Amino acid sequence: MNSSYNENFAKLFLRLFVGILFLLHGYAKLKYGTSFIESVLEKNNLPQYLVYGVYIGEVIAPIFLIIGYYTKTFSLIIIINILFAIYLVHPSEIFSLSSHGGLALELQYFYIFTSLLIILIGPGKFSLDEK
């Protein structure tokens, strides 16, 4: 196997990994609703229609990431989604440590930096973006 082939498979696996894991967050919103997010928006005096951004960021964006279509755009949308979540729900935990010694928001940082990595390295040949 050549290096280019391995590199493209690595990009595919990264997209699948991030997309599937983040889609599970969206699935929870579809199954259980968005009442928590609606209450957070209300508490922060933000319009309720912003709740639809959760569906874009946690359902549509991961699906497009998985299939590799407009990959960089939807990776950016995932990053924006997470930054909003941090701002609205976790602002006091940005540099906090958990009781286990890791960062309290390490999962959020994981999604931010892996999505940023996808933006930087591109989707790879096994995507709809690559023709």
Side-chain angles (χ1 to χ4, degrees), residues 111-124:
Y111 284 123
I112 289 170
F113 289 107
T114 53
S115 295
L116 180 61
L117 183 60
I118 292 169
I119 291 170
L120 295 173
I121 67 173

Side-chain angles (χ1 to χ4, degrees), residues 27-100:
Y27 172 75
K29 305 302 185 304
L30 291 171
K31 185 173 181 180
Y32 303 110
T34 57
S35 58
F36 171 74
I37 295 158
E38 291 169 12
S39 68
V40 170
L41 290 171
E42 184 177 329
K43 179 180 148 196
N44 286 280
N45 296 318
L46 293 170
Q48 293 296 301
Y49 67 82
L50 290 178
V51 76
Y52 295 108
V54 170
Y55 294 117
I56 294 168
E58 295 185 15
V59 177
I60 294 171
I63 289 171
F64 278 81
L65 194 65
I66 290 166
I67 64 173
Y69 191 65
Y70 285 96
T71 305
K72 293 181 179 188
T73 300
F74 285 104
S75 292
L76 180 60
I77 289 171
I78 288 173
I79 292 170
I80 292 167
N81 181 281
I82 297 164
L83 291 174
F84 263 97
I86 291 171
Y87 171 74
L88 293 173
V89 181
H90 307 285
S92 64
E93 299 175 85
I94 292 175
F95 299 111
S96 297
L97 296 178
S98 72
S99 61
H100 305 288

